[in-house]
Amino acid sequence: MSALSLLPARRPVPGVFVALTLTLTIGWLVVLLDGGQLFNQSTTVSLLHVAAGLGLVAVGQTLVILGGSLDLSVAYVISLSTLVAAETMNGSDGAILPAIGLVLVVSAGVGLLNGLLVTRFRVNAFIATLGVGLLLKGYLDNGYDGPAGATAPGLVQSLGYQRVGPVPVSFLLLIAVTAAAWFALSRTRFGHHLVAVGGDPEVARLSGVRNDRVLVTAHILCSMCAGLAGIYLASRLGSGAPRVGTEGLYDLESIAAVVIGGTALAGGRGGVIGTVGGVLLLASIDAIFNQLEVDAFFKQVIRGVIIIAAVAVYARRAMRKAA
């Protein structure tokens, strides 16, 4: 029996969905007692919009974390992508496809740089991606004082605000990207190899896996997901925003969603379905606290408690299985 056949199955983590259900139920009751209404159309649409932006980044983050790496440059890639998209379109619907293509190429280039630093130059992923992020930050801070460019009206209308019933088109995009990532992880050689590399790089290498190629590919896909998130945010804002990624804390929030969803930070265990559950949980907490007009500081405290609790629960489960 090969080492790859011993890998844990990549399946949804039910715990995060139980937590999501409990959060929504308790939140609905608390908001109702406060005189509000949690499950109205405006709140639902807002929740799904928040989930769409964070979810696109978190799905990509899941890929690199599964491989035993991570990416702290995603927030800056998002900001850069909004600017590339808006400045390329410059208000023209005819430039939508070229703008999307250019964003994906630029973001893939950043991912390639991250991947090569981690694999070829053996730089720790935390340091490598943080360094690349700071390089992008320097470019953004030096080149832009504020919003720039103009998103094409067609993209603003379709991706930014159009809905199918109560579900925004952007959330449907998240579902499509999640489905593609799930298929890649569950049904392709790349997915099996990625989990193998995250589980035990040496065993994977001895099994014939080309570790470096797999990790570089994961970093490219992660940055491209951040690029998609940047395109979405450009459609919402109507222009490029040089600080939207960092102000939204998309780097740390995406890692939090991945961890809450059950993916091990050490790699080798987890999946994108659980990550989407983590994204929805964080978005639901935001929606509930916004309804209750809770102080922003207290909101972050609760988020921190949830992340610590999630990591503690999954660590305890791992220890029990090991025993």
Side-chain angles (χ1 to χ4, degrees), residues 76-110:
Y76 303 101
V77 173
I78 289 173
S79 298
L80 179 64
S81 297
T82 65
L83 292 162
V84 171
E87 290 186 323
T88 302
M89 285 182 273
N90 199 27
S92 171
D93 287 339
I96 291 178
L97 290 180
I100 293 174
L102 184 57
V103 166
L104 294 179
V105 169
V106 170
S107 57
V110 175

Side-chain angles (χ1 to χ4, degrees), residues 9-314:
R10 293 163 295 286
R11 59 193 178 192
V13 180
V16 70
F17 295 103
V18 172
L20 174 62
T21 303
L22 290 174
T23 298
L24 288 173
T25 302
I26 295 172
W28 172 72
L29 288 172
V30 173
V31 171
L32 188 65
L33 291 174
D34 193 56
Q37 181 62 47
L38 180 61
F39 296 117
N40 54 43
Q41 180 166 303
S42 63
T43 302
T44 302
V45 170
S46 176
L47 186 156
L48 294 179
H49 271 301
V50 171
L54 176 59
L56 289 169
V57 188
V59 167
Q61 194 74 256
T62 304
L63 298 179
V64 290
I65 290 179
L66 272 174
S69 188
L70 85 165
D71 191 342
L72 293 177
S73 69
V74 289
Y76 303 101
V77 173
I78 289 173
S79 298
L80 179 64
S81 297
T82 65
L83 292 162
V84 171
E87 290 186 323
T88 302
M89 285 182 273
N90 199 27
S92 171
D93 287 339
I96 291 178
L97 290 180
I100 293 174
L102 184 57
V103 166
L104 294 179
V105 169
V106 170
S107 57
V110 175
L112 176 61
L113 176 58
N114 283 330
L116 291 176
L117 288 173
V118 172
T119 58
R120 295 293 178 86
F121 294 94
R122 305 299 175 188
V123 180
N124 179 274
F126 182 96
I127 300 300
T129 58
L130 177 61
V132 170
L134 292 176
L135 288 175
L136 295 178
K137 180 180 185 298
Y139 168 75
L140 294 171
D141 288 347
N142 184 65
Y144 299 92
D145 294 324
T151 310
L155 189 66
V156 171
Q157 178 61 31
S158 57
L159 183 60
Y161 292 92
Q162 188 172 337
R163 304 196 308 266
V164 178
V167 182
V169 170
S170 58
F171 192 77
L172 297 178
L173 173 63
L174 170 61
I175 292 175
V177 171
T178 301
W182 175 85
F183 181 85
L185 290 172
S186 303
R187 298 290 185 266
T188 69
R189 181 180 298 179
F190 164 74
H192 292 292
H193 287 181
L194 180 64
V195 177
V197 171
D200 192 322
E202 185 60 22
V203 172
R205 186 185 64 81
L206 293 175
S207 299
V209 176
R210 302 182 69 173
N211 293 14
D212 289 359
R213 177 178 292 184
V214 170
L215 274 181
V216 169
T217 302
H219 273 285
I220 291 173
L221 292 175
C222 178
S223 290
M224 290 178 72
C225 285
L228 286 176
I231 293 170
Y232 161 65
L233 289 173
S235 72
R236 291 287 291 177
L237 299 172
S239 63
R243 295 170 186 83
V244 65
T246 51
E247 289 176 353
L249 298 175
Y250 283 101
D251 43 5
L252 301 181
E253 292 272 325
S254 61
I255 295 173
V258 173
V259 172
I260 291 172
T263 296
L265 271 176
R269 188 177 73 252
V272 291
I273 304 299
T275 293
V276 172
V279 167
L280 290 172
L281 179 59
L282 292 176
S284 298
I285 293 170
D286 271 347
I288 293 167
F289 284 175
N290 288 339
Q291 285 284 318
L292 297 174
E293 298 181 348
V294 173
D295 179 73
F297 171 77
F298 182 70
K299 184 191 301 184
Q300 296 304 322
V301 170
I302 295 298
R303 279 171 172 266
V305 170
I306 291 172
I307 294 168
I308 293 171
V311 173
V313 168
Y314 294 133

